[in-house]
Amino acid sequence: MCGIVGYYGPENPVDVIIKGLKTLEYRGYDSAGVAILNNGVFKRVRAEGKLSHLEKKLSTETFNGHLGVGHTRWATHGPPVEKNAHPHVVGGASIVHNGIIENYAELKDQLIKAGSIFHSDTDSELIAHLVSHEIEIGKDLFHAVIEILPKLEGAYSVLAVHEKYPEEIVAFKSGPPLVVGKNEKEVVVASDLQAIMPYTKNVVFLQDNEILHVTGTKIEFFDDRGQKINKKETKVDWNPELIEKQGYDHYMLKEIYEQPRAVAMAMGPHVDLASKEVRLCKVGFGVGQLEDLEQLEARADWENTLKTFEGVERVFMVACGTSFYAGMVGEYLIERLSKIPVECDIASEFRYRHPVIPKNSLVVVVSQSGETADTLAALRLAREAGAKVLSICNVKNSSMDREADGHLYMNAGVEIGVASTKALSSTIALMNCLAVALGKAKKQLNEGDEHKFVEALLAAPSHMESVLAYDKFFAEAADTLKDFRGFLYMGRGIHYPIALEGALKMKELAYMHAEGYAAGEMKHGPLALIDQSMAIIMLAPSDELYDKTVSNLEEAKARGGKIISIGSGKNEKLEVLSDHYLALPEVEWTINPLLELIPLQLMSYHVADRLGKDIDQPRNLAKSVTVE
Ligand code: M6R
């Protein structure tokens, strides 16, 4: 899950490529590099660590050229040191690669036997060897790529350039995304839209096994046998302001604060304010082409969605990380409101457990990026099994969005912090809408209940605003919290996924030991962990499981744990039992997850900040995980 950018045009390629890589740095930040055609030869500059290290090196260099490629790396094969940084250069060829070449050992072995000398530990370098070799024996750059494609197994998106072809970039992919945009004077090709947006809003997304051939400002598309194909341009909406920090110290904090708005934007298209009804808008089942969604008549589409949902007998939620926890929240909501059985699967497990997917299943894939490799593979598996796939993505036109049968959008705005925050809130809002829609389709939800749940959802953003006030509490409490040996997050029912999410946030931001548990499970082992050095975060908002949760809290208290409890409204019992009691507004049970996750995010944020951790770019992680 690296980021790649290629440029042809009159600007200084270094400036365009670095600007683009900055917007892609969330994809990986182990090392970075550029290769710029400079007076007819590629000049390569690489640096270990973040892009800023590369920028420092580049500040003393001058370039005179019009074409180049760049890369920001998340290490898979070989440690994050300079020799493994991209671009990889062999002969006159330079390549940047995002992904994994699965048969690299075999290919590398063959190349070494044939006399090639490798300078890195990466799988990627062999692509440069293969391209260079084909050109040495007489192929041009485009045909060199056609020649090597059948040899590559795995996931890749690659940009290849060669000194003999100073006007050309050849790009190809199988798996990770690639998108290209051009205006009258320049072409930018990159892993993600944001690197292209300053130059044009009209882009073309490459599909797997397609090749892009850039020759000057001309762009042409081919299949993997070299047959020319026609591709449609997509016009994308983009607001550059959305990717500024706007005065916050970190993107993550800004994104935490954006959650009330994100929830409003997610549910907005799907709830009717006047009638307090859910009508999912432009889901597009049966429409086929994503572009045609714009032309859909909303009411006709909703009737089609209802019809599709009437036939659903089973729901699968498939996702990774925080998106998986959003899926778990969906499980509780959908089973209660629609009585349809729901199975939740971590995508990397789902795809390999030979899942039985009955044809009348709805498989919901949740992904902020829409590019997570395991979730994308699960989507494809589900479609092959004949199930209907509904994607819930934040990034429009992402691979999942393009391949799904139906589409819901988080509408959270660009999420830059590697730790996901507002995408989760948006998805929980959508899960509320989806549960109501399925409940209606299955005739399990009466009008009164629908109005009740919709009203609760509509009120959620303003309740969330009030919960953000706990920012101040955690800014102070972080000083004490940072010294705990570990954190146990507990909740029952719909609070359980939020407990898991709380623990994930603490792990990924503060690098501290944290576990999420179903509170009733504590006595089956984890209670042994509890002593004075363990912080217990108990999610106990009022609902039907409240009394049982309080009993679990008493058990933890009796073992000496330090307790922060989070509940609804004034609650003397929780106040007495806890070292700190945080009161949330009293709301419908369906909305509690949206409120309780905010203090957990703020807690991890402030503990990590106090420990001096890199909040927006935690070590070893990347925002978009496009490898298995
Ligand atoms: O883009 P996705 O939603 O598919 O990403 C899934 C996970 O990689 C992501 O949620 C990850 O767990 C976050 N770093 C959590 O904060």
Side-chain angles (χ1 to χ4, degrees):
M1 48 236 199
C2 312
I4 59 183
V5 183
Y7 178 75
Y8 172 89
E11 303 295 322
N12 181 351
V14 177
D15 296 341
V16 178
I17 290 168
I18 292 295
K19 192 167 154 194
L21 290 177
K22 275 188 187 159
T23 71
L24 301 180
E25 205 180 9
Y26 68 89
R27 301 180 70 90
Y29 31 84
D30 285 333
S31 65
V34 294
I36 309 293
L37 195 58
N38 185 52
N39 299 324
V41 288
F42 277 105
K43 183 166 164 183
R44 174 174 68 169
V45 182
R46 301 181 294 173
E48 197 174 314
K50 292 193 173 195
L51 203 53
S52 53
H53 301 185
L54 176 66
E55 279 186 283
K56 201 178 266 167
K57 271 188 157 178
L58 285 168
S59 63
T60 54
E61 301 280 346
T62 51
F63 294 89
N64 174 24
H66 57 274
L67 178 132
V69 292
H71 187 272
T72 178
R73 179 172 188 244
W74 186 77
T76 56
H77 295 61
V81 294
E82 186 172 329
K83 72 167 182 171
N84 291 329
H86 298 221
H88 292 288
V89 176
V90 176
S94 293
I95 68 98
V96 288
H97 166 221
N98 171 25
I100 292 177
I101 303 300
E102 283 170 0
N103 58 337
Y104 89 98
E106 179 193 328
L107 291 175
K108 187 169 174 178
D109 215 37
Q110 288 167 10
L111 285 162
I112 290 172
K113 282 191 184 125
S116 297
I117 296 169
F118 277 75
H119 299 283
S120 76
D121 312 311
T122 66
D123 52 340
S124 313
E125 186 185 343
L126 68 88
I127 304 172
H129 282 276
L130 292 172
V131 170
S132 169
H133 172 72
E134 292 299 331
I135 290 174
E136 268 170 30
I137 61 172
K139 296 271 178 337
D140 59 29
L141 179 59
F142 175 72
H143 288 96
V145 167
I146 298 277
E147 207 60 42
I148 70 162
L149 272 179
K151 299 184 182 159
L152 303 178
E153 287 170 19
Y156 49 81
S157 58
V158 177
L159 306 182
V161 287
H162 194 283
E163 285 164 12
K164 271 174 89 178
Y165 303 94
E167 303 285 297
E168 296 183 37
I169 302 173
V170 178
F172 51 100
K173 72 158 243 148
S174 171
L178 261 185
V179 55
V180 60
K182 77 175 270 300
N183 58 33
E184 318 73 59
K185 56 187 178 80
E186 60 207 333
V187 177
V188 188
V189 51
S191 304
D192 260 336
L193 284 173
Q194 48 264 51
I196 298 176
M197 287 301 96
Y199 309 95
T200 176
K201 305 279 183 275
N202 297 317
V203 298
V204 180
F205 293 93
L206 264 80
Q207 300 294 338
D208 284 354
N209 308 316
E210 290 180 350
I211 302 169
L212 160 72
H213 190 189
V214 178
T215 315
T217 53
K218 186 164 98 188
I219 58 173
E220 293 172 292
F221 301 92
F222 299 85
D223 68 15
D224 53 359
R225 285 161 299 135
Q227 298 298 316
K228 201 161 176 191
I229 50 175
N230 290 322
K231 301 233 355 133
K232 258 199 200 164
E233 266 188 359
T234 305
K235 192 171 175 58
V236 286
D237 294 334
W238 194 265
N239 177 356
E241 268 177 33
L242 295 176
I243 54 171
E244 301 298 325
K245 263 194 225 155
Q246 293 170 352
Y248 288 93
D249 287 343
H250 299 95
Y251 283 111
M252 184 191 176
L253 190 60
K254 170 180 171 261
E255 288 159 7
I256 290 174
Y257 272 84
E258 283 173 345
Q259 289 180 107
R261 184 167 187 274
V263 163
M265 296 299 285
M267 70 165 125
H270 310 298
V271 293
D272 187 313
L273 290 179
S275 66
K276 307 276 188 293
E277 279 179 280
V278 166
R279 258 188 234 127
L280 296 186
C281 181
K282 297 192 177 183
V283 177
F285 282 119
V287 169
Q289 290 284 305
L290 201 54
E291 297 83 31
D292 300 334
L293 264 188
E294 297 306 322
Q295 274 78 56
L296 258 192
E297 208 259 290
R299 176 167 282 279
D301 179 61
W302 165 234
E303 273 150 25
N304 187 30
T305 302
L306 265 184
K307 206 170 290 151
T308 308
F309 284 179
E310 276 165 21
V312 171
E313 297 298 333
R314 182 170 289 273
V315 173
F316 291 84
M317 292 282 172
V318 190
C320 300
T322 293
S323 292
F324 172 68
Y325 303 142
M328 284 178 76
V329 172
E331 176 187 17
Y332 287 96
L333 291 166
I334 291 168
E335 287 202 334
R336 279 281 291 283
L337 271 55
S338 74
K339 309 281 184 288
I340 304 172
V342 182
E343 279 181 50
C344 269
D345 269 274
I346 292 174
S348 54
E349 291 296 315
F350 181 78
R351 59 185 294 198
Y352 293 117
R353 78 167 164 91
H354 304 283
V356 177
I357 311 171
K359 286 223 170 5
N360 49 8
S361 302
L362 176 71
V363 177
V364 183
V365 291
V366 183
S367 178
Q368 190 284 130
S369 61
E371 300 295 348
T372 300
D374 286 313
T375 314
L376 183 58
L379 175 157
R380 289 175 179 160
L381 188 79
R383 293 201 74 213
E384 272 165 32
K388 284 257 176 302
V389 175
L390 173 65
S391 63
I392 299 185
C393 295
N394 197 29
V395 179
K396 287 192 179 166
N397 292 303
S398 55
S399 300
M400 279 180 234
D401 185 25
R402 280 181 277 124
E403 293 189 29
D405 303 297
H407 322 262
L408 287 174
Y409 297 106
M410 297 176 191
N411 289 343
V414 184
E415 193 181 69
I416 304 273
V418 165
S420 188
T421 50
K422 58 181 179 169
L424 173 60
S425 305
S426 289
T427 309
I428 294 175
L430 289 174
M431 289 296 178
N432 269 267
C433 297
L434 182 60
V436 170
L438 285 163
K440 275 161 68 143
K442 301 303 269 185
K443 309 220 172 350
Q444 294 293 334
L445 198 66
N446 63 40
E447 213 177 67
D449 279 343
E450 176 175 9
H451 293 176
K452 180 177 72 180
F453 293 131
V454 169
E455 261 168 28
L457 185 58
L458 288 169
S462 55
H463 290 309
M464 293 169 80
E465 296 276 0
S466 69
V467 179
L468 285 165
Y470 282 117
D471 190 4
K472 198 158 175 285
F473 169 80
F474 283 112
E476 283 164 20
D479 242 353
T480 317
L481 287 167
K482 72 176 193 331
D483 297 325
F484 278 90
R485 179 170 58 91
F487 298 83
L488 283 177
Y489 294 76
M490 296 182 220
R492 301 180 76 117
I494 201 165
H495 312 294
Y496 170 43
I498 304 300
L500 294 170
E501 168 64 6
L504 175 61
K505 283 287 155 292
M506 188 59 85
K507 283 184 262 208
E508 71 175 328
L509 291 161
Y511 317 153
M512 290 184 74
H513 176 245
E515 302 263 10
Y517 268 99
E521 186 67 6
M522 294 305 294
K523 51 184 137 346
H524 301 289
L527 266 188
L529 283 169
I530 297 180
D531 62 19
Q532 292 276 329
S533 64
M534 191 63 87
I536 313 291
I537 296 90
M538 185 63 88
L539 303 177
S542 306
D543 64 9
E544 60 180 13
L545 290 172
Y546 167 76
D547 289 331
K548 292 188 189 306
T549 310
V550 172
S551 305
N552 299 137
L553 182 57
E554 308 228 27
E555 290 156 13
K557 170 96 179 157
R559 272 81 189 174
K562 287 280 167 226
I563 291 169
I564 296 178
S565 66
I566 299 179
S568 309
K570 175 130 190 73
N571 187 322
E572 275 171 25
K573 184 144 201 185
L574 289 178
E575 275 170 33
V576 170
L577 280 173
S578 317
D579 295 271
H580 297 283
Y581 170 63
L582 310 187
L584 301 178
E586 293 181 71
V587 295
E588 198 57 54
W589 66 272
T590 47
I591 300 308
N592 274 326
L594 286 171
L595 307 188
E596 64 198 358
L597 65 85
I598 292 176
L600 306 191
Q601 294 165 340
L602 289 167
M603 176 174 160
S604 304
Y605 171 83
H606 283 294
V607 171
D609 194 34
R610 204 53 51 91
L611 291 170
K613 303 298 185 213
D614 190 341
I615 289 180
D616 285 329
Q617 295 181 329
R619 70 182 179 199
N620 305 337
L621 299 181
K623 182 85 183 148
S624 183
V625 185
T626 54
V627 294
E628 271 197 63

